[in-house]
Amino acid sequence: MCFQLIPEIEQEEGISLSFHLSRILPHIVVIWDKPYFYALGKFNNSMQEFGRDWESMLEQIALEGIKDFSDRTWQFQEVPLTKTVSANVISRLAYQVLKTSKPYPFSSITALSKNGVQVRREAKFWTEPIEIHGTSQAAITLTFKSKFLLTKTLAYFYLNHQDKHKPEEVLIDLNVRSLSGDIQGNGTITKLIKEPSLIHKQKLIELAKNEISRKALQDDLSNKFLVAVKFGKGKKLYEYGMAALRPCVTSETASKFGVNWGDLLKETKIPYKKRTELLATYKEEAENTLNNYGFELGLSINSRDYPELFWQPQVTIENTPLLFGNGFIGVQSKILIGLSRGGVYRRHKKFSDPSRPIRITVLNLCDVGLDEFIKQLKERLKSYKFESLFVINLTSLKNFSGTQARAKVEEVVNELMEIPPDIVLAFLPQSDRNADEEEGGSLYHKIYDLLLSRQIASQMIYEDTLNNPDYYKNILNQVVPGILAKLGNLPFVLAEPLQIADCFIGLDISRESKAKLSGTMNACASMRLYGKQGEFIRYQLKDTLIPGEEIPKQFLEGLLPKKEFEGKTVLIYRDGRFCGQEVANLLEWAEAIGCKLILVECRKSGIPRLYNFVNKTIAAPEKGLALRISSTEAVLVTTQVTEKIGLPHPLRLTVITANHPALISPPIEQVVETTLKLTLLHHGALKMPRLPMPVYGAHKTAKLRLRGIYPSSMLEGDRQFWL
């Protein structure tokens, strides 16, 4: 059945109402797809009284305490199903069946249980319509994830906490889950309701949906305070007694529960044979539930039956030709050979004279011997055709507190600036790795800030990587290309120009959570510009912090100066989705200055997993494997990881389409190939990043800006200081 409500309902209300209808109605699920609702019955006679019972259904929802709808009046109107229901609607109905069915269709498997802490395997699913032979087909993605679960309640955790006399510090921003499962997923405690009145508590008890929540609102602890929890991205807060919640286990809280965080992480790594079994189990459980509503699950999308949906590069990504100095052509898998034979592709103007040495100040803060390391570093730089000059400073921080250490470091750095170096190589104590969690922050970011504000590059190395001289070679392999790139040199570019566009831009807005408060900090926009061969050109930061997620029109127009971009085709990657009027503003400006745009969203979450299939067992996908979701969307694997680490997380690429003269929409396969090649250009590490470099760099620069770390008076520059 299809129906609509009069007056017309807003999106947030429509989604919420459809969920609650699916939850309270036996054998019926409902979804909202603007402007209509679609209802699907488990049996043929399920729908007969649906419209007639509309008022009583709303009353039942209101009685259950869904106050959003208690004062609303809508007129119900059935809409004849005169055309085929879309694949998207069918997919969402199937998803709603799996989400709201009682009992829940998927089993939860316990992989580890210790001291009340469990590692569980749980199904994860969402809608994923896919285009096959030009027609959109209904589909869902089915995968699983490992979750940490504490069997003890939040009340137990709080009452046994050493800082329970400071409840805000203990509880605010803590991740929790509902004990009764009345709301799925993790939530975050955003505030405390201290000494709630009897009237307030009684109202909550009356609205409580289950006995667990009611009892938790009646115990002694609930007289002192209740907690307000926000689930997902919604704005609504749910008030709970603490006995109705359980804390989520994190790296910060694991030791408090008597478990080792590393041991828990190991249990989340699922062997491929076990993955195969789990997927088969979850698919069977899903099918048993969906069959009751007339759904049938077909074969999983695979390259045997649908070869046209899968893509791989003709030349493996590791063998993509790269151009080094003196015209030498190498490949990604042999970058060090390319640097040794050809040198860097382009020297920064400061080092155009090969005899001009790189002035390196070594700041040793961890009492380790560095003579051999510096000797090898000097030799390696020389092999890449760069001379070097070293100044070494040894400063012991053994007897300093965190605050004293930061003050001492600031003093030493200021002294070193009397003769400014080109780059500072800082060796940090191992204890500094997690110091950003502390209020004063880390020495890492302290030094980074002090140097970057003076437009001086830095390279940090932790002492644990130096304890074994055998590691020197591996460290040098990673550090030296990064040092050269941070100083403005370009170690290498793509040997063959990318044909899709003249240049590439990465856009990002970064946000950072407020400590112990709800919400997030204001955001900062950043961009990075690359040329036709993937050569880095410049970065740009938005100086004023931005409220919300939309990049302002003025900043977007500033990215594309008419003189520089007129007559060009520009591919713009957006980290995540384009927000608000960003697309409209970009296209309006592009038309005004006479350039063409290709707009691509690059998302990192909510993406189907891809697998290889060998001897009836799934295996890790090859780097470069892509799945065509539609003519404008694809899933792309850009990393290769070992079984001990897990399974690669693909990227989702979506090409924006619109009827606009300034917008170009190339084939999705061409966008996939371009994106993959742009992951080759990370000059600060030999390992390819997950993201194409325009997006990777934009995110890093904005995050540093949020910490107040950026080149002084240089919100635009040509050196990759973030590597």
Side-chain angles (χ1 to χ4, degrees), residues 216-255:
L217 291 163
Q218 294 170 310
D219 63 18
D220 291 338
L221 187 54
S222 68
N223 294 329
K224 295 181 180 179
F225 50 81
L226 306 173
V227 294
V229 182
K230 186 178 82 166
F231 291 91
K233 295 183 179 179
K235 298 178 181 178
K236 185 175 179 181
L237 297 180
Y238 297 83
E239 294 181 12
Y240 284 90
M242 286 201 288
L245 300 167
R246 57 165 60 102
C248 299
V249 183
T250 65
S251 57
E252 291 80 23
T253 61
S255 60

Side-chain angles (χ1 to χ4, degrees), residues 358-362 374 377-378 381 388-392 425:
I358 298 174
R359 293 191 292 270
I360 301 175
T361 292
V362 176
I374 291 172
L377 174 58
K378 192 163 189 169
L381 286 168
S388 55
L389 183 64
F390 287 83
V391 174
I392 301 172
L425 198 58

Side-chain angles (χ1 to χ4, degrees), residues 176-194:
V176 293
R177 297 192 81 181
S178 169
L179 205 60
S180 65
D182 57 333
I183 299 180
Q184 295 289 328
N186 294 350
T188 303
I189 298 175
T190 61
K191 70 175 182 178
L192 307 182
I193 299 93
K194 294 185 178 179

Side-chain angles (χ1 to χ4, degrees), residues 261-390:
W261 179 248
D263 292 341
L264 295 180
L265 287 179
K266 287 178 184 177
E267 287 298 329
T268 66
K269 312 307 177 187
I270 308 171
Y272 294 129
K273 188 171 186 294
K274 187 63 179 177
R275 285 180 180 272
T276 308
E277 296 168 0
L278 281 172
L279 283 172
T281 298
Y282 286 142
K283 185 178 179 184
E284 182 180 357
E285 291 173 342
E287 191 160 31
N288 291 339
T289 299
L290 290 171
N291 283 346
N292 293 325
Y293 287 81
F295 291 109
E296 181 181 346
L297 284 185
L299 291 172
S300 299
I301 296 297
N302 63 78
S303 58
R304 181 182 62 248
D305 298 312
Y306 305 102
E308 72 281 3
L309 297 183
F310 291 85
W311 178 92
Q312 284 182 296
Q314 293 182 347
V315 176
T316 60
I317 191 63
E318 291 83 1
N319 290 319
T320 301
L322 299 177
L323 181 60
F324 296 84
N326 297 311
F328 181 82
I329 294 178
V331 294
Q332 193 275 336
S333 58
K334 298 179 180 179
I335 286 174
L336 300 179
I337 293 176
L339 287 171
S340 295
R341 293 187 181 179
V344 298
Y345 166 75
R346 187 180 71 201
R347 299 176 78 101
H348 192 269
K349 56 187 177 184
K350 184 183 274 190
F351 302 100
S352 57
D353 181 356
S355 66
R356 196 285 202 188
I358 298 174
R359 293 191 292 270
I360 301 175
T361 292
V362 176
L363 181 56
N364 186 355
L365 302 174
C366 54
D367 301 319
V368 294
L370 296 177
D371 291 348
E372 180 61 26
F373 183 85
I374 291 172
K375 176 187 173 186
Q376 292 190 33
L377 174 58
K378 192 163 189 169
E379 292 173 354
R380 183 66 64 90
L381 286 168
K382 191 172 184 62
S383 73
Y384 299 160
K385 303 172 180 57
F386 281 86
E387 299 297 327
S388 55
L389 183 64
F390 287 83

Side-chain angles (χ1 to χ4, degrees), residues 399-670:
N399 300 318
F400 288 83
S401 68
T403 303
Q404 292 171 332
R406 290 189 297 274
K408 182 63 178 176
V409 164
E410 182 171 342
E411 176 189 332
V412 171
V413 170
N414 289 336
E415 290 173 356
L416 294 175
M417 294 305 106
E418 292 180 7
I419 304 177
D422 295 313
I423 189 168
V424 171
L425 198 58
F427 293 85
L428 304 175
Q430 193 61 26
S431 58
D432 192 60
R433 274 195 185 272
N434 300 313
D436 275 324
E437 302 299 325
E438 301 169 6
E439 190 173 353
S442 64
L443 296 175
Y444 181 106
H445 280 112
K446 181 72 173 176
I447 297 169
Y448 207 156
D449 188 14
L450 290 168
L451 295 173
L452 201 55
S453 64
R454 295 174 167 94
Q455 301 170 29
I456 294 175
S458 60
Q459 178 72 49
M460 314 293 178
I461 299 175
Y462 286 104
E463 65 176 313
D464 63 333
T465 59
L466 293 175
N467 288 332
N468 187 342
D470 293 338
Y471 292 164
Y472 286 0
K473 183 178 179 181
N474 292 330
I475 298 170
L476 291 167
N477 290 347
Q478 302 289 333
V479 165
V480 178
I483 288 175
L484 297 176
K486 287 178 180 182
L487 294 173
N489 305 288
L490 272 183
F492 54 86
V493 296
L494 297 172
E496 299 171 359
L498 296 166
Q499 299 303 314
I500 195 172
D502 298 304
C503 51
F504 305 86
I505 285 177
L507 279 180
D508 179 52
I509 280 220
S510 290
R511 290 163 294 278
E512 198 164 87
S513 297
K514 297 175 183 175
K516 301 299 179 184
L517 293 173
S518 61
T520 59
M521 288 176 56
N522 286 341
C524 170
S526 74
M527 83 86 178
R528 288 182 56 192
L529 174 64
Y530 288 75
K532 200 172 180 67
Q533 287 181 265
E535 67 273 23
F536 172 67
I537 297 173
R538 62 180 167 87
Y539 69 84
Q540 188 173 336
L541 299 175
K542 180 65 178 175
D543 190 25
T544 50
L545 295 179
I546 300 162
E549 299 186 8
E550 184 176 349
I551 299 176
K553 184 176 183 179
Q554 183 180 6
F555 180 67
L556 292 174
E557 291 182 0
L559 300 180
L560 303 169
K562 179 180 175 69
K563 183 178 180 180
E564 185 177 1
F565 290 97
E566 185 176 13
K568 291 186 177 179
T569 298
V570 185
L571 191 157
I572 299 180
Y573 287 101
R574 178 68 157 94
D575 190 355
R577 294 182 182 274
F578 284 98
C579 298
Q581 295 298 306
E582 288 175 357
V583 169
N585 291 337
L586 280 167
L587 293 177
E588 182 183 2
W589 180 249
E591 187 176 19
I593 68 170
C595 77
K596 302 288 186 180
L597 298 183
I598 301 168
L599 302 179
V600 180
E601 294 177 340
C602 185
R603 284 179 277 162
K604 305 183 288 291
S605 60
I607 304 169
R609 296 296 190 94
L610 302 184
Y611 302 93
N612 278 7
F613 196 65
V614 182
N615 297 327
K616 298 184 178 182
T617 301
I618 60 174
E622 296 171 9
K623 185 162 49 180
L625 176 66
L627 171 66
R628 187 182 193 272
I629 301 293
S630 72
S631 59
T632 60
E633 191 166 57
V635 171
L636 171 65
V637 177
T638 56
T639 54
Q640 193 90 46
V641 297
T642 65
E643 186 173 5
K644 290 182 179 180
I645 293 176
L647 193 72
H649 287 271
L651 300 177
R652 184 191 292 270
L653 302 172
T654 305
V655 180
I656 300 299
T657 58
N659 185 19
H660 194 283
L663 186 66
I664 299 174
S665 300
I668 188 64
E669 292 80 6
Q670 192 178 12

Side-chain angles (χ1 to χ4, degrees), residues 1-4 35-39 76-86:
M1 172 185 285
C2 179
F3 66 92
Q4 65 182 132
Y36 301 125
F37 289 85
Y38 291 85
F76 175 92
Q77 181 178 329
E78 185 174 353
V79 177
L81 285 168
T82 56
K83 60 180 181 179
T84 304
V85 179
S86 72

